[in-house]
Amino acid sequence: DAMVIQNPRYQVTQFGKPVTLSCSQTLNHNVMYWYQQKSSQAPKLLFHYYDKDFNNEADTPDNFQSRRPNTSFCFLDIRSPGLGDAAMYLCATSRASGQGTYEQYFGPGTRLTVT
Amino acid sequence: DAKTTQPTSMDCAEGRAANLPCNHSTISGNEYVYWYRQIHSQGPQYIIHGLKNNETNEMASLIITEDRKSSTLILPHATLRDTAVYYCIVTRANDYKLSFGAGTTVTVRA
């Protein structure tokens, strides 16, 4: 089945130690998103790629960066994780063409723990 | 995007219909109503969306009032696996970003 895959499902990192989360998709969607979801809160969009174009949300900290080397893969880099960055990180995809409406397909998420 | 208001939580009995309300009184003519749900420890899942007509798919029905200021998501025969947080989101046509609100925590009880 076509899907959105996130690895690893659980990640533990140390305070200040860079960490990379990965997302891949077999849907061939042109838009990929990264959301942060803290405990008991709604998902919050960090940034997204529309094709190769990177779009950062205004309130996303500089500590968070992303790379999309090709259509299928997208990475979330946290340069210096703080305790407040512990959260579930969700990757999603959609097919956007400039017309119509777009459902997003989410991966299972990576739960990040910062020690 | 228009804001939405949903009840914080609701319970429903297994096998009965679950009716989830959402208010979006400032919705614009080109804004759609989307519903997603998030089962515990999983990513959100798309359920259904609509503009002004009622919509039905294999998961649920969406009833939008004539003035479009509110809508109801109907799960026709709730099961324990429908226990989740349900998000009502209003977004413009051609807007491929979602802004999640607090949602409604739905608990289906046996």
Side-chain angles (χ1 to χ4, degrees):
Chain A
D1 287 342
M3 57 197 318
V4 181
I5 302 161
Q6 291 189 245
N7 286 306
R9 293 293 311 277
Y10 301 90
Q11 176 74 57
V12 180
T13 191
Q14 292 179 334
F15 182 94
K17 185 175 181 180
V19 64
T20 296
L21 309 181
S22 71
C23 176
S24 63
Q25 53 129 340
T26 60
L27 297 161
N28 202 31
H29 285 170
N30 60 327
V31 188
M32 294 188 76
Y33 312 78
W34 280 104
Y35 291 82
Q36 178 192 62
Q37 186 174 26
K38 295 187 176 179
S39 182
S40 301
Q41 296 183 19
K44 179 177 180 295
L45 182 65
L46 294 173
F47 28 59
H48 73 276
Y49 274 93
Y50 189 116
D51 296 325
K52 296 181 180 180
D53 294 331
F54 177 71
N55 297 271
N56 201 27
E57 293 301 300
D59 55 355
T60 298
D62 293 340
N63 198 26
F64 291 86
Q65 297 180 338
S66 186
R67 296 169 284 135
R68 188 179 187 186
N70 53 51
T71 300
S72 301
F73 286 86
C74 196
F75 300 98
L76 170 61
D77 300 309
I78 308 176
R79 291 192 296 182
S80 182
L83 298 179
D85 296 327
M88 175 77 84
Y89 290 89
L90 296 160
C91 175
T93 72
S94 71
R95 181 187 301 280
S97 63
Q99 299 178 3
T101 57
Y102 312 111
E103 300 93 81
Q104 291 191 17
Y105 295 79
F106 285 80
T110 294
R111 184 167 298 282
L112 179 68
T113 300
V114 182
T115 61
Chain B
D1 293 340
K3 297 291 185 185
T4 62
T5 303
Q6 299 178 251
T8 302
S9 64
M10 61 184 295
D11 287 359
C12 65
E14 187 179 22
R16 305 293 295 269
N19 297 291
L20 284 61
C22 179
N23 286 322
H24 30 78
S25 59
T26 61
I27 193 169
S28 301
N30 67 344
E31 289 185 310
Y32 285 74
V33 180
Y34 278 80
W35 284 84
Y36 283 76
R37 74 179 183 183
Q38 187 172 23
I39 296 170
H40 183 62
S41 296
Q42 296 184 21
Q45 176 190 22
Y46 165 81
I47 300 173
I48 199 167
H49 74 276
L51 182 63
K52 53 183 179 180
N53 296 323
N54 298 338
E55 302 287 345
T56 296
N57 63 20
E58 65 279 3
M59 289 184 68
S61 295
L62 174 60
I63 309 298
I64 302 175
T65 58
E66 191 168 346
D67 63 7
R68 303 210 320 123
K69 292 185 177 181
S70 66
S71 60
T72 301
L73 179 74
I74 301 172
L75 308 177
H77 304 287
T79 71
L80 299 178
R81 290 177 294 178
D82 292 322
T83 293
V85 179
Y86 287 76
Y87 297 101
C88 171
I89 301 169
V90 170
T91 189
R92 293 185 304 274
N94 300 334
D95 188 350
Y96 47 88
K97 297 197 295 184
L98 295 174
S99 180
F100 287 84
T104 297
T105 299
V106 173
T107 303
V108 180
R109 301 193 186 278

